Amino acid sequence: MAPGFVSDPIFFTASALVLALALVRLFAKTWERRRSRKYHPVAGTVLNQLLNFGRLHHYMTDLAGRHRTYRLLGPLRSEVYTSDPANVEYMLKTNFENYGKGWHNYTILKDLLGDGIFAVDGDKWRQQRKVSSYEFSTKVLRDFSSVVFQRNVAKLANILSEAASANQIVDIQDLFMKSTLDSIFKVAFGVELDSMCGTSEEGAEFSRAFDDASAMTLWRYVDVSWKIKKFLNIGSEAALKKNVRIIDNFVYKLIRRKIEQMHNSTDNTSMKKEDILSRFLQVTETDQTYLRDIILNFIIAGKDTTAATLSWFIYMLCKHPTIQEKVAREVKQMSNVKEISDFSSCAASMGEEALEKMHYLHATITETLRLYPALPVDAKICFSDDVFPDGFNVREGDMVSFQPYAMGRMKFIWGDDAEDFRPERWLDSNGVFQPESPFKFTAFQAGPRICLGKEFAYRQMKIFSAVLLSCFTFKLADAKKPVNYRTMINLHIDGGLPVSITRRYES
Ligand code: HEM
């Protein structure tokens, strides 16, 4: 037999030994590396979130006060929560590609939001972002939406004026929800819903179903048994399914009507440019499910966020009457409204030029968003092992969230008066608004996925508040009743905001 290495027992044993040693060293090194990795402190478990569900953001703020970044352990994954601006910048911008909605968020959000911009990553996101950003930057949309906001706030002022005459208490949050729903429907889909004046029972049913479905979708983040419930069609999942059916019926009807209008229109070119839905219809007319998803995402973006912020804004002004007066004085001065003859002409005086001069109003809205951000927590999934700027590791599959609500209350970010409502913190010595880093003031997110409707939202909120504060003063109907949020995707006031209204003008 020819001498062969394999048949030599000494050589064989030596090779096996070397290989075994190399494997042991590799294993030891990997183990050592793993062991020496530092992870953010564990502050509790997701069970604690469940137990604190009704006061979830208070609970998370308490934890953030103890650890800038912390972990909560869960049965399936670890959850990392950060309020550190350096970490936020890293995940939203520096290493953007490594943090996204991921499969986890997608499965939770899918039943309500489908494949809409809020739920997806990658090409689906890029395509919707591109078309929507173009639409939002056009002057046509800006001018058209301002007119819609002015018309809707004039309607709202009429309702409030009647309530003032009758000494009636109104739920201002409910009215804001309806008027912003009307506005977004008109701007995005060219449809007059008129839910504010109550002419559409169907619209009211849709709005209710949408709110409930949004609360049940958020519940999935803390309810580990949601998939079983969905399979068995029981409890919150059965209710979610029912609400989604109401939403779908409404939206599909809207899409079919729009397609019909487009087909019947003789002047097809102008028809196609009219609203955001028409624009998307040009891209993907046949896929109605995809259109349904796009629509619902715009509704959730445009309705709840703005209405909730306006409600907290009025709440803050009721708690701080001197600030309410100061805003009203600035609005009067900058808009040149001498007396209120009718609400439509008052609204028409809130043009872009006048609004731009209202720095104190801008600061007061921004201060509201600092303490009451419409999206209190924002979760991403980490796609591969990573190290945050604070030196701690995050693992592939971890859910990583930044927390606008908790961040707005952190002394290490805003100073000792972090919890005080103080619009002046946003103004320089000449009273000019000074923006903050979006990684510190995270209400609109930051980086490539920063809110697309930020300018749109500010314009709507400024037009609404300028008109309402020119015409009325607001007081809490019951100053002793505690005001809290309802835990859901957006930060709504639980049970609404009942206020009494007095006219600022002679009737
Ligand atoms: C006070 C009002 C608003 C606030 C605080 C706000 C905040 C936010 C936040 C935090 C995100 C990131 C959400 C995520 O992680 O997916 C976002 C995204 C977005 N917002 Fe807003 N938003 C407001 C109003 C609006 C309005 C009025 C519109 C449009 C009508 C709008 C359109 C969008 C869109 C399309 C996105 C998705 C961007 C993307 O993923 O690329 N937002 N907004």
Side-chain angles (χ1 to χ4, degrees), residues 54-322:
R55 55 179 296 277
L56 189 65
H57 307 304
H58 284 81
Y59 173 69
M60 309 290 276
T61 304
D62 288 346
L63 295 185
R66 274 178 259 156
H67 316 280
R68 289 187 187 189
T69 306
Y70 58 86
R71 267 173 191 272
L72 294 184
L73 301 179
L76 302 175
R77 68 176 70 245
S78 215
E79 298 182 1
V80 177
Y81 291 90
T82 189
S83 49
D84 180 343
N87 289 349
V88 174
E89 177 163 8
Y90 183 77
M91 64 185 277
L92 294 184
K93 187 178 151 202
T94 319
N95 203 8
F96 169 73
E97 296 297 339
N98 199 36
Y99 299 88
K101 304 283 169 168
W103 184 249
H104 176 68
N105 284 310
Y106 179 69
T107 29
I108 287 182
L109 300 173
K110 183 160 174 52
D111 286 313
L112 178 60
L113 299 182
D115 279 346
I117 193 166
F118 281 110
V120 294
D121 299 304
D123 288 343
K124 273 186 185 160
W125 167 71
R126 253 182 291 278
Q127 190 242 358
Q128 288 179 57
R129 175 95 196 176
K130 198 170 148 208
V131 185
S132 318
S133 325
Y134 171 77
E135 200 55 43
F136 271 88
S137 63
T138 57
K139 187 171 175 333
V140 177
L141 186 89
R142 220 171 47 237
D143 293 348
F144 176 49
S145 53
S146 289
V147 170
V148 172
F149 300 150
Q150 286 164 352
R151 201 180 311 141
N152 281 335
V153 72
K155 270 192 197 174
L156 177 57
N158 261 317
I159 294 174
L160 296 184
S161 168
E162 278 168 25
S165 304
N167 260 333
Q168 223 173 32
I169 303 294
V170 295
D171 176 0
I172 193 81
Q173 177 170 261
D174 182 52
L175 289 171
F176 283 145
M177 290 288 165
K178 288 174 174 158
S179 53
T180 51
L181 180 64
D182 289 349
S183 300
I184 193 66
F185 257 76
K186 184 68 185 166
V187 173
F189 321 116
V191 171
E192 204 74 66
L193 197 65
D194 204 21
S195 63
M196 199 169 13
C197 298
T199 49
S200 163
E201 181 45 42
E202 211 186 0
E205 191 192 21
F206 165 84
S207 201
R208 257 194 317 271
F210 199 59
D211 285 350
D212 289 344
S214 138
M216 281 151 199
T217 301
L218 186 68
W219 178 250
R220 284 180 169 182
Y221 278 101
V222 289
D223 180 2
V224 285
S225 63
W226 74 264
K227 283 187 183 162
I228 301 169
K229 284 189 194 157
K230 183 179 172 180
F231 180 74
L232 298 172
N233 194 26
I234 53 170
S236 53
E237 288 297 316
L240 176 62
K241 194 171 170 186
K242 192 174 137 230
N243 284 311
V244 168
R245 202 175 307 126
I246 296 172
I247 294 167
D248 282 355
N249 286 343
F250 186 86
V251 174
Y252 282 124
K253 208 151 91 185
L254 190 71
I255 295 172
R256 282 195 296 273
R257 204 164 74 204
K258 194 85 206 167
I259 293 175
E260 233 168 78
Q261 275 176 6
M262 281 183 78
H263 286 159
N264 295 342
S265 167
T266 41
D267 181 4
N268 222 16
T269 343
S270 66
M271 181 74 210
K272 277 180 182 168
K273 282 184 186 151
E274 195 184 62
D275 53 56
I276 297 170
L277 174 59
S278 306
R279 183 161 180 81
F280 276 102
L281 270 170
Q282 284 177 303
V283 185
T284 171
E285 183 177 332
T286 46
D287 191 348
Q288 292 198 9
T289 313
Y290 192 45
L291 284 171
R292 169 257 184 223
D293 297 345
I294 289 168
I295 293 182
L296 283 185
N297 281 258
F298 272 102
I299 295 171
I300 204 164
K303 161 189 179 278
D304 290 19
T305 46
T306 315
T309 308
L310 280 168
S311 310
W312 290 110
F313 170 79
I314 294 292
Y315 172 57
M316 281 292 98
L317 295 192
C318 291
K319 295 293 272 182
H320 304 275
T322 46

Side-chain angles (χ1 to χ4, degrees), residues 354-424:
L355 293 178
E356 257 166 40
K357 288 190 250 164
M358 296 177 192
H359 290 272
Y360 193 73
L361 171 61
H362 200 96
T364 310
I365 293 173
T366 310
E367 182 69 345
T368 305
L369 277 162
R370 186 181 69 86
L371 288 172
Y372 299 100
L375 263 87
V377 184
D378 200 322
K380 315 279 173 215
I381 294 295
C382 170
F383 295 140
S384 66
D385 288 3
D386 202 358
V387 184
F388 266 3
D390 60 11
F392 290 100
N393 289 69
V394 283
R395 276 185 296 239
E396 176 183 341
D398 282 347
M399 196 174 94
V400 187
S401 308
F402 65 96
Q403 316 188 73
Y405 186 93
M407 287 178 84
R409 289 164 160 75
M410 288 299 110
K411 290 190 172 133
F412 78 89
I413 300 179
W414 303 101
D416 285 345
D417 65 353
E419 297 202 36
D420 299 346
F421 185 77
R422 204 171 61 77
E424 285 75 12

